[in-house]
Amino acid sequence: MDQFRGLFVKLDRNQDGFISLSELHSEMTTHGISVADAKVQNVIDSYDNDNNGQLDYNEFLSYMMDRERKWKICFDHLDKNKSGLIDQEEIICLFKELGVVISKAHANKVIQMMDTDGSMTVDWDEFLQHVILKPVDNIGELVSSWKHSLVFDVGESRALALEYPDESSGIGAWRTFVLGASLADAVSRTATAPIDRLKTQLQFYGPKAFSRGFQELRVGGLRSMWQGNAVNVLKGTPQSTLQCLIYAQMKVSMQGRSQGSLSVHQRFGLGCVSGAVAHAVFYPLEVLKVRLNLQRVGAYHGVVACARSIYQNEPLTSFYRGFKPSILCMIPYAGVECAVHQSIMTWAQSDPAYSSDSRLFFFSFVAFACGQVSSYPLAVIRTQQQAQAVCSSSQAASSGILQGLIGIYKRHGLRGYYNGMGASFIRAVPCALMNFTLCRTFENMFSSTST
């Protein structure tokens, strides 16, 4: 009871003897990037017996005791050996029950989120302190919050996950993983499609892209801002899924040979290989997306018409224009982002003051920005080569990377190497937030329907 009294005093920031909706919301938000207002309102509605819109101490105590009873059942379920402690193996077992196989290193990170005395085990008091005000209502949501606290994606597409379901997890785990991530990816791409199209036009036209954009808006209306989005969604979901499958198969094979968990360097290597293969398979769709983004509204009547036009009027190699700088772009981007991300996260997660979701999200954005700055000139060349057939002769991009860099400098100066990067940064934040929130929501939804 004493700990709940102390928590009540902490939450009652204006010391009026009540906890308001805003005070409860503010505290819950520190445990995650965002908390749905409806969830906090539901707490007030369920325990506010006198209907004054606030919780007094007795009402708050009733809420805490209900959560304590609920989570004690969960703790006892996690404590497989009935030792009164949750250890590394029990965390691994929990994830496996939910269809995800994690390494011992990642299990240790989960333990460290709750372990306050440095014992690398979690007793009931530590577990209760961790979950009592966390905006999760069941063990599935808790595990999902752990997974998303370990890594965030703020890149241009969904990033490689820390852990995929392995081949022993069954088709249900893979279905939940793929469907949840794919739907989140499709929604986030669609919502940010106008910014993505603006970025592509800035890479190709430079500052003239703004005047072209206003002209297209007057001619084609708001719908024109989503031109090329359909092929972008069609590309994103199967490409991410193929990358997942390749990564998982190579991971199983490599772990079988090494008889242990993979190092950061091995994971980075597997990510590069799986990403490059998936990128190569679906690269023609990337070319189609860029063509549709750059052409005026009505130039092509859909994705199929665009593909038919390239096939009939250009050599087949046109479907892979810009592939070389595109692949080269992946190396500095992924390498720099991975190095910066791992360094910052290792430092941040060792200090509770810097380990909240919002701060970890910001640190991940810093890593993404470093990767973008190091690789962006190659991305500009890739876009210009992909769109070569729609350029004027004076603006045609050279087929060579060095010649392309020289051509961009002559036309736009050093600034030309980073045309559109601001739009890429602006798009990254809402895209990542939607992926984070929706992926968790869809995974929980599909998990509940499959049980």
Side-chain angles (χ1 to χ4, degrees):
M1 298 299 179
D2 291 340
Q3 61 174 324
F4 294 148
R5 169 63 73 177
L7 186 55
F8 181 85
V9 171
K10 175 187 174 183
L11 295 178
D12 182 18
R13 297 182 179 181
N14 60 5
Q15 303 298 308
D16 64 350
F18 295 92
I19 295 177
S20 66
L21 185 146
S22 61
E23 289 170 333
L24 185 59
H25 186 280
S26 177
E27 176 64 23
M28 281 192 172
T29 303
T30 64
H31 295 274
I33 291 178
S34 62
V35 176
D37 289 339
K39 181 171 286 191
V40 183
Q41 184 66 58
N42 184 58
V43 173
I44 299 292
D45 293 342
S46 300
Y47 294 90
D48 178 23
N49 296 325
D50 54 11
N51 296 316
N52 65 352
Q54 302 180 102
L55 300 181
D56 61 27
Y57 177 68
N58 289 330
E59 293 166 340
F60 176 75
L61 182 61
S62 177
Y63 169 56
M64 288 290 100
M65 292 182 69
D66 282 350
R67 284 187 68 81
E68 181 180 27
R69 284 191 293 268
K70 180 178 181 178
W71 284 110
K72 185 63 168 69
I73 296 172
C74 294
F75 181 85
D76 291 339
H77 172 74
L78 294 178
D79 182 19
K80 303 294 184 183
N81 59 9
K82 306 305 176 186
S83 65
L85 301 170
I86 299 174
D87 58 23
Q88 176 196 86
E89 292 299 326
E90 287 165 335
I91 292 295
I92 293 174
C93 181
L94 170 63
F95 273 82
K96 194 167 186 178
E97 286 178 357
L98 297 176
V100 180
V101 175
I102 65 169
S103 65
K104 291 182 178 180
H106 290 137
N108 285 340
K109 289 182 179 180
V110 173
I111 292 289
Q112 288 169 355
M113 293 180 193
M114 301 178 279
D115 179 25
T116 59
D117 59 9
S119 65
M120 288 309 295
T121 57
V122 179
D123 60 27
W124 164 238
D125 288 337
E126 291 171 328
F127 182 79
L128 181 63
Q129 181 180 343
H130 178 72
V131 301
I132 194 67
L133 279 177
K134 203 172 183 69
V136 293
D137 293 324
N138 53 61
I139 200 68
E141 290 184 3
L142 179 61
V143 170
S144 182
S145 75
W146 288 339
K147 287 179 1 186
H148 288 281
S149 293
L150 293 174
V151 67
F152 296 95
D153 168 29
V154 292
E156 295 191 356
S157 60
R158 206 166 40 78
L160 202 64
L162 274 179
E163 300 290 345
Y164 292 123
D166 72 354
E167 60 184 3
S168 65
S169 301
I171 190 65
W174 270 103
R175 187 196 67 172
T176 299
F177 174 80
V178 171
L179 287 178
S182 298
L183 281 174
D185 182 60
V187 172
S188 64
R189 285 175 185 269
T190 300
T192 59
I195 307 175
D196 189 46
R197 189 180 185 205
L198 174 63
K199 179 203 70 177
T200 302
Q201 292 184 333
L202 284 168
Q203 288 177 336
F204 186 68
Y205 295 114
K208 295 179 181 178
F210 291 104
S211 60
R212 287 181 62 91
F214 285 123
Q215 290 175 6
E216 290 186 3
L217 196 58
R218 285 197 296 268
V219 174
L222 283 175
R223 185 178 178 182
S224 65
M225 303 301 293
W226 274 265
Q227 181 166 293
N229 179 61
V231 71
N232 192 30
V233 172
L234 288 173
K235 175 183 74 74
T237 296
Q239 181 175 325
S240 297
T241 303
L242 178 61
Q243 184 177 355
C244 292
L245 293 170
I246 294 172
Y247 180 92
Q249 290 301 312
M250 291 194 301
K251 175 186 170 186
V252 170
S253 177
M254 186 170 288
Q255 283 183 325
R257 290 196 299 268
S258 62
Q259 298 298 318
S261 60
L262 301 183
S263 66
V264 172
H265 299 295
Q266 289 173 318
R267 288 176 178 274
F268 171 66
L270 292 183
C272 286
V273 173
S274 59
V277 173
H279 186 63
V281 171
F282 291 96
Y283 189 79
L285 292 178
E286 176 71 20
V287 174
L288 294 178
K289 185 200 84 167
V290 170
R291 294 285 184 94
L292 289 166
N293 278 345
L294 294 175
Q295 288 284 39
R296 294 189 181 277
V297 177
Y300 296 117
H301 297 291
V303 178
V304 175
C306 181
R308 185 185 298 117
S309 175
I310 296 175
Y311 177 77
Q312 292 175 345
N313 303 312
E314 302 175 45
L316 287 177
T317 53
S318 296
F319 286 105
Y320 279 87
R321 274 183 176 161
F323 183 70
K324 186 184 295 183
S326 184
I327 286 293
L328 291 177
C329 177
M330 292 175 62
I331 298 173
Y333 173 77
V336 171
E337 185 183 30
C338 181
V340 174
H341 187 275
Q342 291 290 330
S343 300
I344 292 179
M345 289 302 181
T346 299
W347 165 72
Q349 291 181 335
S350 65
D351 187 343
Y354 294 98
S355 60
S356 69
D357 282 355
S358 56
R359 286 187 171 89
L360 293 179
F361 183 87
F362 170 75
F363 296 145
S364 290
F365 184 83
V366 172
F368 158 73
C370 292
Q372 281 275 291
V373 170
S374 66
S375 65
Y376 202 80
L378 289 171
V380 174
I381 294 175
R382 173 196 64 196
T383 297
Q384 297 200 358
Q385 290 185 2
Q386 288 171 336
Q388 202 163 21
V390 300
C391 349
S392 63
S393 58
S394 62
Q395 194 178 349
S398 170
S399 58
I401 295 177
L402 180 58
Q403 294 89 337
L405 289 170
I406 294 173
I408 292 171
Y409 181 78
K410 287 181 178 179
R411 291 192 299 273
H412 305 292
L414 289 175
R415 182 180 178 181
Y417 295 135
Y418 294 95
N419 279 337
M421 191 170 70
S424 182
F425 284 170
I426 293 172
R427 175 182 179 269
V429 174
C431 190
L433 288 172
M434 280 185 282
N435 265 326
F436 175 89
T437 305
L438 293 176
C439 188
R440 177 184 296 183
T441 301
F442 288 139
E443 282 184 8
N444 289 335
M445 181 178 69
F446 289 124
S447 294
S448 62
T449 57
S450 63
T451 56

